[in-house]
């Protein structure tokens, strides 16, 4: 399942707007075929794996196990058959599924269909990692909004700019390249109105091979549509909750500044915080956050857990997920 999850994660950007799912077909402890959601979302992983196995001359799956990172889809779409039917027809010995699909058209139905076909089904192996990888998809299905990450680049003393607004650059090349790779995973990047006016950011992905993967840009503002001078294609959000109105969006990154970050935190709409901390001290500058309405320190504790931490050149990257 770990191999299947790795495969799924590698294709996460390409599968958009669908979640990236992988399927490994294993016989006698050897992976004989594998599939992952194709570019643009179809064909699905199970169809890719089964057709790959057939091309390799495997037509009988009776002694095979299928490892699938998300419950197969149970609904027939205009873009292809239900994977639950494809897998049931292939009739493997066992199907191992990391995570049940929260999509109501499938939830539990595919598992029931496979069991009715006499196939042994095991769920839950690798569930946490699968849920982590599919956070945007799950969030959209269960909460009606995407997974939202807040990205901050700060000095040691928690400042994101000098008092005069200068913020380019706080961190070094490696941290910035990492941040660009994060951008490529997003559907939309949001900045606040002040950042738009002050920095006129491009918010694109400036990494070789990923230049075509720049997400859409949005600005949080009460001032209406964005003027032409800032470039084309800006979405405007008059409040953080408007994010929920945009369909087919799984991952959003809020890139600051302090006002936009505070607005999303106050609205309880930040699921993940990504901090790049540079070994510089700014003193009286601009703090990473404006007021978030915190009444007591007790309310601030146990809200976040560290899930990743590493050095990127001279800078420290830390990633936190909300605990509940
Ligand atoms: N180091 C970093 O990681 C980083 C990243 C980004 C920016 N920055 C720096 O941060 C500075 C700007 O930060 P800032 O705090 O002054 O401004 P900001 O967060 O970029 O923008 C604040 C603006 O966001 C809009 N806004 C805030 N809350 C809102 C809400 N609830 N509903 C609707 N709109 C809302 C308003 O826009 P309108 O005024 O348009 O209505 C508000 O004036 C710049 O110096 C920039 O260079 C640093």
């Amino acid at each position: 399942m770990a191999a299947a999850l790795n495969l799924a994660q590698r294709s996460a950007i390409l599968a958009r707007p669908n979640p990236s799912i992988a399927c490994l077909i294993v016989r006698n402890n050897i992976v004989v075929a594998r599939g992952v959601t194709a570019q643009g979302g179809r064909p699905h992983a199970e169809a890719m794996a089964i057709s790959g196995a057939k091309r390799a001359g495997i037509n009988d799956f009776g002694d095979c196990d299928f490892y699938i990172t998300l419950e197969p889809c149970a609904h027939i779409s205009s873009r292809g058959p239900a994977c639950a039917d494809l897998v049931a027809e292939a009739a493997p010995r066992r199907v191992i599924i990391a995570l049940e699909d929260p999509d109501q058209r499938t939830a539990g139905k595919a598992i029931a269909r496979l069991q009715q076909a006499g196939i042994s089904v095991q769920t839950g192996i690798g569930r946490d990692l699968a849920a982590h990888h599919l956070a945007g998809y799950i969030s959209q299905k269960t909460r009606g909004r995407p997974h939202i990450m807040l990205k901050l680049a700060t000095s040691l003393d928690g400042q994101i700019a000098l008092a005069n607004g200068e913020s380019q650059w706080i961190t070094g090349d490696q941290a910035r390249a990492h941040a660009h790779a994060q951008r490529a995973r997003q559907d939309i990047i949001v900045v606040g109105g002040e950042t738009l006016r002050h920095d006129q950011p491009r918010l694109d992905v400036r990494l070789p091979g990923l230049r075509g993967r720049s997400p859409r840009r949005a600005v949080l503002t009460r001032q209406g549509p964005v003027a032409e001078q800032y470039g084309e294609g800006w979405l405007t959000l008059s409040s953080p909750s408007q994010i929920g109105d945009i369909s087919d969006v799984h991952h959003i990154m809020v890139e600051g500044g302090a006002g936009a970050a505070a607005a999303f935190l106050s609205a309880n709409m930040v699921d993940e915080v990504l901090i790049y901390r540079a070994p510089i001290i700014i003193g009286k500058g601009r703090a990473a956050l404006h007021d978030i309405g915190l009444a007591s320190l007790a309310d601030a504790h146990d809200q976040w857990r560290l899930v990743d931490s590493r050095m990127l050149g001279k800078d420290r990257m830390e990633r936190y997920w909300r605990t509940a």
Side-chain angles (χ1 to χ4, degrees), residues 75 162 215 249 276 300 320:
H75 55 280
L162 303 190
V249 169
Y276 301 97
Y320 295 83

Side-chain angles (χ1 to χ4, degrees), residues 110-134:
I111 292 171
R113 200 172 298 173
L114 295 173
Q115 285 169 333
Q116 276 156 20
I119 299 166
S120 159
V121 179
Q122 198 176 344
T123 58
I125 292 180
R127 178 180 283 140
D128 287 352
L129 193 53
H132 201 85
H133 288 173
L134 295 172

